Amino acid sequence: MFGLGRSLIHRHLIRGERSRWKSTEVRKLTLIEGDGIGPEIANAVRKIFSAAEVPVAWEPVSVKPVKTDDGRTTVPEEVIESMRRNKVGLKGPLETQIGKGSVSLNLTLRRVFNLYANVRPCRSIKGYKTPYDDVDLITIRENTEGEYSGIEHEVVDGVVQSVKLITKEACMRVAEYAFHYAHMFGRKKVTAVHKANIMRRTDGLFLSCCNTVAERYKDIEYDDMYLDKVCLLLVQDPSQFDLLVMPNLYGDILSDLCAGLVGGLGLTPSGNIGNDGVALFEAVRLNMSLFVSQTL
């Protein structure tokens, strides 16, 4: 199953539109089934929602990539129109070919819909035993730039350069979202994760923005920590963290590490939050093509 946690739906949809969801009004949601096992788990989600009598209607769309006149990769216009209408979507795993010059459709969706914050709760599940008990933390990852900006080129034969793009606008936006989330949902502490000791300008800018926003939230404890130290302390005692906010690449790494604390990627769904009320929720796992039609 997608692993679309009830907490994510409750916090990002139901609480935000409580008056609408108390009624029997049917809400239409965009559905991107994805690749590999995507169509199978999408069908399982539909059955579960139907059995639970959740008042939603699905609008399936395909995200087969298309090229614009200037050579950029984007998604079909029907996907853009569907998300603009419905505001909320559910996405299965999407495959990106490695080493073949393919553009990541996940990155393309984030860019097209300006999905600037990835939110992934990592919570222990009662009855599912892991080496850690009572894990309850949130990772919030800047979702649009950093090392994943996709700016790479070959300087000379055998020398390749990748640009880490960091902007004040994106840093302030994700920092504001992280503190607002903590304030709204009773999180007591926010930790900014960085490597400003090495990347003084890029991570330094991110850290500066987090510091600025923290000044406006005196009710929330705040600290910052180097990425490597966070990794060490997480595996020693995850209970010392509450909400982690970080740039793109670090968030990719740490959110998977946190998933490992509670049992794996299949137990940690995430939401990609954008402007104007747009949100795209997703399964956090590979497309697992080898397991298609295996009824596992």
Side-chain angles (χ1 to χ4, degrees):
M1 197 182 76
F2 267 89
L4 179 66
R6 180 179 178 184
S7 62
L8 271 175
I9 297 179
H10 179 71
R11 290 171 184 262
H12 291 282
L13 302 183
I14 298 178
R15 281 193 182 181
E17 301 185 10
R18 185 179 297 275
S19 61
R20 294 183 59 183
W21 282 76
K22 276 187 175 181
S23 71
T24 58
E25 177 185 356
V26 175
R27 171 73 178 264
K28 184 172 286 188
L29 304 182
T30 300
L31 178 63
I32 301 170
E33 293 186 342
D35 304 316
I37 61 172
E40 294 182 30
I41 59 178
N43 187 50
V45 167
R46 282 190 261 198
K47 290 180 179 179
I48 292 169
F49 274 48
S50 176
E53 299 182 346
V54 179
V56 301
W58 302 103
E59 184 173 275
V61 293
S62 170
V63 292
K64 183 178 180 180
V66 296
K67 289 281 189 180
T68 61
D69 293 338
D70 60 2
R72 293 186 304 114
T73 300
T74 186
V75 295
E77 189 62 30
E78 68 168 324
V79 179
I80 298 174
E81 292 176 356
S82 177
M83 283 297 294
R84 283 176 178 168
R85 281 194 308 271
N86 301 329
K87 297 295 186 183
V88 177
L90 185 61
K91 179 183 77 66
L94 293 173
E95 182 177 16
T96 299
Q97 297 294 324
I98 298 176
K100 297 184 179 180
S102 301
V103 176
S104 167
L105 281 177
N106 291 305
L107 295 182
T108 300
L109 286 168
R110 293 170 196 165
R111 174 178 54 79
V112 169
F113 299 114
N114 201 19
L115 302 170
Y116 63 86
N118 177 271
V119 183
R120 196 192 298 190
C122 291
R123 298 187 179 95
S124 297
I125 297 176
K126 186 176 181 180
Y128 192 90
K129 182 63 179 175
T130 71
Y132 303 91
D133 296 320
D134 300 323
V135 176
D136 181 9
L137 57 88
I138 305 290
T139 61
I140 296 183
R141 160 189 174 188
E142 201 292 315
N143 220 16
T144 63
E145 52 182 31
E147 291 87 349
Y148 289 0
S149 300
I151 307 172
E152 295 184 316
H153 64 277
E154 188 172 40
V155 181
V156 295
D157 186 34
V159 180
V160 179
Q161 185 177 55
S162 177
V163 176
K164 177 175 179 174
L165 178 68
I166 296 286
T167 66
K168 183 177 181 179
E169 178 184 5
C171 292
M172 289 296 292
R173 185 171 56 185
V174 76
E176 290 275 10
Y177 183 84
F179 278 91
H180 179 70
Y181 186 103
H183 178 75
M184 291 294 294
F185 300 126
R187 293 283 163 173
K188 304 301 183 184
K189 180 180 178 181
V190 171
T191 300
V193 184
H194 62 93
K195 286 294 290 182
N197 58 324
I198 303 299
M199 286 165 277
R200 299 180 184 276
R201 290 187 177 273
T202 51
D203 282 24
L205 176 59
F206 174 81
L207 178 58
S208 175
C209 292
C210 290
N211 292 343
T212 298
V213 175
E215 285 296 319
R216 301 201 294 269
Y217 288 85
K218 298 297 186 180
D219 59 321
I220 298 172
E221 183 182 351
Y222 167 70
D223 68 354
D224 68 270
M225 196 174 294
Y226 297 146
L227 170 67
D228 42 349
K229 185 176 181 180
V230 172
C231 292
L232 171 65
L233 296 181
L234 271 172
V235 298
Q236 289 181 335
D237 179 14
S239 68
Q240 60 194 297
F241 296 103
D242 193 355
L243 187 152
L244 303 171
V245 59
M246 64 223 87
N248 207 337
L249 175 62
Y250 308 159
D252 196 5
I253 296 168
L254 278 181
S255 58
D256 279 14
L257 189 158
C258 291
L261 301 177
V262 298
L265 292 176
L267 303 177
T268 54
S270 72
N272 299 285
I273 311 302
N275 294 328
D276 303 320
V278 172
L280 184 61
F281 296 89
E282 64 182 342
V284 184
R285 62 176 72 189
L286 302 177
N287 67 63
M288 302 176 72
S289 299
L290 292 175
F291 297 100
V292 172
S293 300
Q294 296 298 310
T295 63
L296 298 177

